[in-house]
Amino acid sequence: MKSWHRYAIALAGGLALGLGAAWWLTGGGLQGGQIVNGPWTTSLGYGTKATGAITRAAVARAGLLALPAKETVYWSAKTDAAGAPLDGNCRYSLSGKLLDARWWSVTIYDAAGYLVANDANIWSVNGANVATDDQGVWRVTIAPTRPIEGAWLPGIKDQSFHLTLRMYNPGPAFRADPEKASLPAIVKEGC
């Protein structure tokens, strides 16, 4: 074998290995953030130059056009309150008090990071479209079938999913201590 063939094979192998490693490193989405609050994780560095190259690449791969934390905080949850992976066959209660932000939303994504395909064309709930009870608590059911009453996010049968909570213009109390902020609870009610 000629020496240039060996160099070409080594170069192709190195490129394949490097690209494969980069794809694997950035494939975790937004999990593993520096801040953990129950099942929710985030990093206040998303959308800033202070974030490392791998995190910036993971954010770009996730399709998130991240704004800095003073404008938007992005939380991700792949598990329920008990730490079990979110399962599209199960029914969950997503509930909490109104968040310390000008506007907020919770969006459901499939395991690949795409909006969940559903006939109802519902992918998100937000502070403007959920009703609160007498104690100021809102509740949304996440399930593959629509509940009889209340707000609903369709789950996807036979697939895991994850949730993204976006808090736009978070308040000063939240920014002071995001680890202790009151975030929505994700409780499995049954499968």
Side-chain angles (χ1 to χ4, degrees), residues 21-166:
W23 191 256
W24 179 78
L25 281 171
T26 61
L30 303 180
Q31 284 296 99
Q34 301 154 346
I35 299 173
V36 177
N37 183 325
W40 300 99
T41 63
T42 193
S43 169
L44 297 182
Y46 296 150
T48 69
K49 289 189 274 186
T51 305
I54 292 173
T55 301
R56 284 196 309 272
V59 167
R61 184 171 166 199
L64 179 65
L65 299 173
L67 296 169
K70 68 181 179 181
E71 295 187 34
T72 307
V73 176
Y74 306 91
W75 294 91
S76 179
K78 291 187 176 183
T79 63
D80 62 20
L86 297 173
D87 181 346
N89 294 315
C90 299
R91 185 180 66 255
Y92 296 89
S93 169
L94 174 69
S95 63
K97 293 200 174 212
L98 296 180
L99 298 168
D100 182 18
R102 180 179 54 82
W103 192 83
W104 59 268
S105 69
V106 177
T107 307
I108 187 168
Y109 294 96
D110 66 16
Y114 296 103
L115 292 172
V116 172
N118 65 78
D119 294 334
N121 292 328
I122 299 171
W123 301 280
S124 182
V125 294
N126 62 66
N129 70 5
V130 294
T132 58
D133 63 15
D134 296 340
Q135 286 79 38
V137 176
W138 55 269
R139 183 179 185 283
V140 174
T141 299
I142 303 171
T145 57
R146 185 185 290 269
I148 295 171
E149 61 182 34
W152 172 57
L153 278 176
I156 183 166
K157 284 190 177 204
D158 302 323
Q159 287 191 33
S160 62
F161 65 91
H162 70 273
L163 301 171
T164 297
L165 166 64
R166 292 172 178 87

Side-chain angles (χ1 to χ4, degrees), residues 1-16:
M1 182 182 291
K2 295 185 179 190
S3 63
W4 71 270
H5 285 122
R6 286 189 212 124
Y7 290 123
I9 290 169
L11 180 64
L15 283 172

